[in-house]
Amino acid sequence: MTARHFLTGAELSSAELGGLLDRALELKRAPLSSRALEGRSVALIFEKPSTRTRLSFEVGIDELGGHPVVLRSEELQLSRGEALRDTAIVLSRHVAAIGVRTGPDETLEQLAEHSSVPVINMLTARHHPCQALADLLTLREAYGSLEGLRIAYVGDGNNVARSLATLGTLAGMHVAVASPDGYSLEDGISLPAGASGLVTLHSDPREAVRDARAIYTDVWVSMGDEAAAKERRAALASYRVDDALLDGGAPGAFAMHDLPAHAGEEISAEVLYGERQRIWDQAENRRHAQKALLELLVSGPA
Ligand code: CP
Ligand code: NVA
C-alpha cells in the first residue's frame, strides 16, 4: 500500500478534513486518550528554524505514545550530498512518518516520492498546511461550522495565505485575501478538488475585511525572503492589522496570526496582546490538529 502524504492539504477530502477537526477537538479535551503511535517513532527534519512546529510535533507525538526523532538537516548526510531518495528509503525503514520543514517544495516532493511512510509538510516556501489545520480548528472552536464563514487574510500572499485558502475552501469558507501589487496570492484561486468555498483577491484591506469574522495576518518577511526585506516592509506598510482594521470586520471579528509576530509591523501590539485575538489558541491548536493528522495518516480514520 502506498503511504498517504500531506504536502499541500489538498490530499484530504472535505469530509476527511471535517472528521480530522472533530477528532482534534476530542484530543484537545482528552490529550492522553490516544496511543496511536505506541512503540513507533516519527522523524522530524528541520532545514529551517522553528519554535511552534517543533514543539507541537514533539509533544504531540509523545502524547500519542510515540517517539519523536528530531533531525537537523546540517547533522544529516543530506548536508554532505546524500540523495533525498536514499534518505527517504532509509528513514522509511525506521519510522512511522516523516515531517519535513524545508525551502523548496521540490525537496519535499522528492522525499515523498521515495518514502514508503507518510510525509508531512511542516512548512515549505509555498505551503504551510499544518498551520492551516490549527487555524481551522481555532475557527471551529469560535464559530462552530466553517461552511460559508468569511474570513480575511491581509498581507503577504505567502505560504500561510496559500494554505489557509486551500484548506479554508475545502471546508467551504470564503477567504478574502488583500495584498499589495507584487505580493498577491497569484494562484490562490486554484482550489483543491471538492472545495466548495471561495477565494477572492483584493488590494484594499478594508474591502477584504468587510463582513469577515476573523482577520488573519503573517510576517512581511518570510524565511528565505530576507534579501528583499526593506522593499517588502515598504510595500506592505499599509496592510497592518490593528484595532481600526478589526473595526471594519464583522461584529466580534478577531485577529489571527500563525507567529512568530513582529508587533508594530504586520500587527499592532494592542491587538497581539489584547482581547480581540485568538492567536495564542492557534499556537496551542497546532498540537491537537497535528495529532489528529498523525492518527489519520498512520492508522487511518479513528
Ligand atoms: N507558526 C509556525 O510554524 O511557527 P514556527 O516557525 O515557530 O514553527
Ligand atoms: N510565512 C512564514 C511563516 C513562519 C511560520 C515563513 O515562511 O517564514
Side-chain angles (χ1 to χ4, degrees), residues 82-117:
E82 184 168 18
L84 287 166
R85 178 178 186 159
D86 299 2
T87 304
I89 294 171
V90 172
L91 283 172
S92 300
R93 297 287 180 108
H94 291 284
V95 299
I98 304 169
V100 184
R101 170 167 286 202
T102 185
D105 284 76
E106 296 71 28
T107 300
L108 179 82
E109 286 157 15
Q110 276 190 49
L111 282 167
E113 187 185 341
H114 298 291
S115 169
S116 58
V117 299

Short mmCIF file of all heavy atoms in Angstrom, two decimals, residues 82-117:
data_model
loop_
_atom_site.label_atom_id
_atom_site.label_comp_id
_atom_site.label_asym_id
_atom_site.label_seq_id
_atom_site.Cartn_x
_atom_site.Cartn_y
_atom_site.Cartn_z
N GLU A 82 24.21 13.37 0.33
CA GLU A 82 23.45 12.11 0.17
C GLU A 82 22.13 12.43 -0.52
O GLU A 82 21.49 13.47 -0.26
CB GLU A 82 23.19 11.43 1.52
CG GLU A 82 22.49 10.08 1.34
CD GLU A 82 22.46 9.20 2.60
OE1 GLU A 82 22.67 9.72 3.70
OE2 GLU A 82 22.21 7.98 2.43
N ALA A 83 21.70 11.52 -1.38
CA ALA A 83 20.49 11.76 -2.18
C ALA A 83 19.24 11.79 -1.30
O ALA A 83 19.15 11.05 -0.32
CB ALA A 83 20.34 10.67 -3.23
N LEU A 84 18.29 12.64 -1.69
CA LEU A 84 16.99 12.68 -0.99
C LEU A 84 16.33 11.30 -1.08
O LEU A 84 15.72 10.83 -0.12
CB LEU A 84 16.08 13.73 -1.64
CG LEU A 84 16.44 15.18 -1.35
CD1 LEU A 84 15.71 16.11 -2.31
CD2 LEU A 84 16.08 15.53 0.09
N ARG A 85 16.47 10.67 -2.24
CA ARG A 85 15.88 9.35 -2.44
C ARG A 85 16.41 8.36 -1.41
O ARG A 85 15.63 7.64 -0.77
CB ARG A 85 16.24 8.88 -3.86
CG ARG A 85 15.73 7.51 -4.18
CD ARG A 85 16.07 7.13 -5.61
NE ARG A 85 15.46 5.87 -5.96
CZ ARG A 85 15.24 5.48 -7.21
NH1 ARG A 85 15.62 6.26 -8.21
NH2 ARG A 85 14.67 4.34 -7.46
N ASP A 86 17.72 8.34 -1.23
CA ASP A 86 18.32 7.38 -0.29
C ASP A 86 17.90 7.70 1.15
O ASP A 86 17.64 6.80 1.95
CB ASP A 86 19.86 7.40 -0.42
CG ASP A 86 20.32 7.02 -1.82
OD1 ASP A 86 19.44 6.78 -2.69
OD2 ASP A 86 21.54 6.96 -2.06
N THR A 87 17.85 8.99 1.44
CA THR A 87 17.44 9.42 2.79
C THR A 87 16.01 8.94 3.06
O THR A 87 15.72 8.39 4.13
CB THR A 87 17.51 10.96 2.90
OG1 THR A 87 18.84 11.36 2.56
CG2 THR A 87 17.17 11.45 4.29
N ALA A 88 15.13 9.10 2.08
CA ALA A 88 13.73 8.70 2.25
C ALA A 88 13.61 7.19 2.43
O ALA A 88 12.84 6.72 3.28
CB ALA A 88 12.91 9.15 1.04
N ILE A 89 14.39 6.44 1.67
CA ILE A 89 14.30 4.97 1.77
C ILE A 89 14.76 4.51 3.16
O ILE A 89 14.12 3.68 3.81
CB ILE A 89 15.14 4.29 0.66
CG1 ILE A 89 14.53 4.61 -0.72
CG2 ILE A 89 15.21 2.78 0.87
CD1 ILE A 89 15.40 4.18 -1.90
N VAL A 90 15.87 5.08 3.62
CA VAL A 90 16.41 4.66 4.92
C VAL A 90 15.47 5.06 6.06
O VAL A 90 15.14 4.25 6.94
CB VAL A 90 17.84 5.23 5.13
CG1 VAL A 90 18.32 4.97 6.55
CG2 VAL A 90 18.80 4.61 4.11
N LEU A 91 14.98 6.30 6.02
CA LEU A 91 14.07 6.74 7.09
C LEU A 91 12.83 5.85 7.13
O LEU A 91 12.34 5.50 8.21
CB LEU A 91 13.65 8.21 6.85
CG LEU A 91 14.69 9.26 7.20
CD1 LEU A 91 14.23 10.64 6.73
CD2 LEU A 91 14.95 9.30 8.70
N SER A 92 12.34 5.46 5.95
CA SER A 92 11.11 4.63 5.89
C SER A 92 11.30 3.27 6.56
O SER A 92 10.32 2.63 6.94
CB SER A 92 10.70 4.39 4.43
OG SER A 92 10.45 5.60 3.78
N ARG A 93 12.55 2.82 6.68
CA ARG A 93 12.81 1.53 7.34
C ARG A 93 12.73 1.65 8.86
O ARG A 93 12.74 0.64 9.56
CB ARG A 93 14.21 1.03 6.96
CG ARG A 93 14.40 0.73 5.49
CD ARG A 93 13.67 -0.54 5.09
NE ARG A 93 13.82 -0.85 3.69
CZ ARG A 93 14.57 -1.86 3.22
NH1 ARG A 93 15.23 -2.64 4.05
NH2 ARG A 93 14.63 -2.08 1.93
N HIS A 94 12.72 2.88 9.37
CA HIS A 94 12.79 3.06 10.82
C HIS A 94 11.56 3.71 11.45
O HIS A 94 11.28 3.48 12.62
CB HIS A 94 14.00 3.93 11.18
CG HIS A 94 15.32 3.26 10.94
ND1 HIS A 94 15.82 2.29 11.77
CD2 HIS A 94 16.23 3.42 9.96
CE1 HIS A 94 17.00 1.87 11.32
NE2 HIS A 94 17.26 2.55 10.20
N VAL A 95 10.92 4.60 10.72
CA VAL A 95 9.89 5.43 11.38
C VAL A 95 8.51 5.25 10.73
O VAL A 95 8.40 4.77 9.60
CB VAL A 95 10.28 6.94 11.35
CG1 VAL A 95 11.58 7.17 12.09
CG2 VAL A 95 10.35 7.48 9.92
N ALA A 96 7.48 5.70 11.48
CA ALA A 96 6.10 5.55 11.00
C ALA A 96 5.67 6.72 10.12
O ALA A 96 4.69 6.61 9.37
CB ALA A 96 5.16 5.44 12.20
N ALA A 97 6.37 7.85 10.22
CA ALA A 97 6.04 9.03 9.41
C ALA A 97 7.24 9.97 9.44
O ALA A 97 8.10 9.85 10.33
CB ALA A 97 4.80 9.74 9.95
N ILE A 98 7.27 10.87 8.44
CA ILE A 98 8.40 11.82 8.33
C ILE A 98 7.82 13.23 8.17
O ILE A 98 7.08 13.49 7.22
CB ILE A 98 9.27 11.51 7.09
CG1 ILE A 98 9.78 10.06 7.13
CG2 ILE A 98 10.43 12.50 6.99
CD1 ILE A 98 10.42 9.60 5.81
N GLY A 99 8.16 14.13 9.09
CA GLY A 99 7.81 15.54 8.94
C GLY A 99 9.00 16.28 8.35
O GLY A 99 10.15 15.97 8.71
N VAL A 100 8.73 17.23 7.46
CA VAL A 100 9.83 17.94 6.80
C VAL A 100 9.55 19.44 6.78
O VAL A 100 8.48 19.87 6.33
CB VAL A 100 9.99 17.48 5.32
CG1 VAL A 100 11.21 18.16 4.68
CG2 VAL A 100 10.13 15.96 5.24
N ARG A 101 10.51 20.24 7.26
CA ARG A 101 10.47 21.70 7.07
C ARG A 101 11.66 22.05 6.20
O ARG A 101 12.82 21.86 6.58
CB ARG A 101 10.54 22.43 8.41
CG ARG A 101 10.77 23.93 8.23
CD ARG A 101 10.55 24.76 9.47
NE ARG A 101 9.14 24.89 9.76
CZ ARG A 101 8.61 25.87 10.50
NH1 ARG A 101 9.39 26.81 11.02
NH2 ARG A 101 7.31 25.90 10.74
N THR A 102 11.36 22.59 5.01
CA THR A 102 12.42 22.92 4.07
C THR A 102 12.01 24.13 3.24
O THR A 102 10.90 24.65 3.41
CB THR A 102 12.70 21.69 3.15
OG1 THR A 102 13.81 21.98 2.31
CG2 THR A 102 11.50 21.32 2.30
N GLY A 103 12.88 24.59 2.34
CA GLY A 103 12.54 25.69 1.46
C GLY A 103 11.79 25.20 0.23
O GLY A 103 10.57 25.32 0.13
N PRO A 104 12.52 24.58 -0.71
CA PRO A 104 11.89 24.21 -1.97
C PRO A 104 10.83 23.12 -1.82
O PRO A 104 11.08 22.11 -1.17
CB PRO A 104 13.07 23.68 -2.81
CG PRO A 104 14.30 24.04 -2.07
CD PRO A 104 13.94 24.24 -0.65
N ASP A 105 9.68 23.33 -2.42
CA ASP A 105 8.64 22.30 -2.40
C ASP A 105 9.12 21.02 -3.09
O ASP A 105 8.67 19.92 -2.77
CB ASP A 105 7.35 22.82 -3.05
CG ASP A 105 6.64 23.77 -2.09
OD1 ASP A 105 7.09 24.92 -1.95
OD2 ASP A 105 5.66 23.33 -1.46
N GLU A 106 10.06 21.18 -4.05
CA GLU A 106 10.57 20.02 -4.78
C GLU A 106 11.30 19.06 -3.83
O GLU A 106 11.27 17.84 -4.02
CB GLU A 106 11.54 20.45 -5.90
CG GLU A 106 10.90 21.29 -7.00
CD GLU A 106 10.52 22.70 -6.56
OE1 GLU A 106 11.16 23.26 -5.64
OE2 GLU A 106 9.55 23.25 -7.13
N THR A 107 11.97 19.59 -2.82
CA THR A 107 12.67 18.73 -1.84
C THR A 107 11.66 17.84 -1.13
O THR A 107 11.84 16.62 -1.01
CB THR A 107 13.42 19.61 -0.80
OG1 THR A 107 14.35 20.42 -1.50
CG2 THR A 107 14.13 18.78 0.25
N LEU A 108 10.58 18.45 -0.69
CA LEU A 108 9.52 17.70 0.00
C LEU A 108 8.92 16.65 -0.95
O LEU A 108 8.70 15.50 -0.56
CB LEU A 108 8.44 18.70 0.43
CG LEU A 108 7.24 18.12 1.15
CD1 LEU A 108 7.58 17.90 2.61
CD2 LEU A 108 6.04 19.04 1.01
N GLU A 109 8.66 17.08 -2.18
CA GLU A 109 8.02 16.16 -3.15
C GLU A 109 8.93 14.96 -3.44
O GLU A 109 8.45 13.83 -3.56
CB GLU A 109 7.69 16.92 -4.45
CG GLU A 109 6.49 17.84 -4.27
CD GLU A 109 6.45 18.98 -5.28
OE1 GLU A 109 7.19 18.91 -6.29
OE2 GLU A 109 5.69 19.93 -5.05
N GLN A 110 10.23 15.21 -3.55
CA GLN A 110 11.16 14.08 -3.81
C GLN A 110 11.21 13.12 -2.64
O GLN A 110 11.24 11.90 -2.83
CB GLN A 110 12.56 14.62 -4.07
CG GLN A 110 12.78 15.03 -5.51
CD GLN A 110 14.25 15.32 -5.74
OE1 GLN A 110 15.12 14.52 -5.39
NE2 GLN A 110 14.54 16.47 -6.31
N LEU A 111 11.23 13.67 -1.44
CA LEU A 111 11.22 12.79 -0.25
C LEU A 111 9.94 11.95 -0.24
O LEU A 111 9.98 10.75 0.01
CB LEU A 111 11.33 13.61 1.04
CG LEU A 111 12.73 14.12 1.39
CD1 LEU A 111 12.66 15.17 2.48
CD2 LEU A 111 13.63 12.96 1.86
N ALA A 112 8.83 12.60 -0.55
CA ALA A 112 7.54 11.88 -0.55
C ALA A 112 7.52 10.80 -1.63
O ALA A 112 7.03 9.69 -1.41
CB ALA A 112 6.39 12.86 -0.75
N GLU A 113 8.08 11.12 -2.78
CA GLU A 113 8.07 10.16 -3.89
C GLU A 113 8.77 8.85 -3.50
O GLU A 113 8.36 7.78 -3.91
CB GLU A 113 8.78 10.80 -5.09
CG GLU A 113 8.68 9.97 -6.35
CD GLU A 113 9.49 10.58 -7.49
OE1 GLU A 113 9.81 11.80 -7.43
OE2 GLU A 113 9.82 9.83 -8.42
N HIS A 114 9.80 8.98 -2.69
CA HIS A 114 10.60 7.79 -2.38
C HIS A 114 10.37 7.24 -0.97
O HIS A 114 11.04 6.29 -0.57
CB HIS A 114 12.09 8.11 -2.59
CG HIS A 114 12.39 8.47 -4.01
ND1 HIS A 114 12.32 7.55 -5.02
CD2 HIS A 114 12.69 9.65 -4.59
CE1 HIS A 114 12.59 8.15 -6.17
NE2 HIS A 114 12.82 9.43 -5.93
N SER A 115 9.43 7.82 -0.26
CA SER A 115 9.17 7.36 1.10
C SER A 115 8.00 6.37 1.08
O SER A 115 6.98 6.62 0.43
CB SER A 115 8.82 8.55 1.99
OG SER A 115 8.33 8.08 3.21
N SER A 116 8.12 5.29 1.82
CA SER A 116 7.01 4.35 1.91
C SER A 116 6.18 4.60 3.17
O SER A 116 5.24 3.86 3.46
CB SER A 116 7.51 2.90 1.86
OG SER A 116 8.43 2.69 2.91
N VAL A 117 6.51 5.67 3.92
CA VAL A 117 5.68 6.08 5.06
C VAL A 117 5.19 7.51 4.79
O VAL A 117 5.78 8.21 3.96
CB VAL A 117 6.46 6.01 6.40
CG1 VAL A 117 6.94 4.59 6.69
CG2 VAL A 117 7.64 6.99 6.41
#
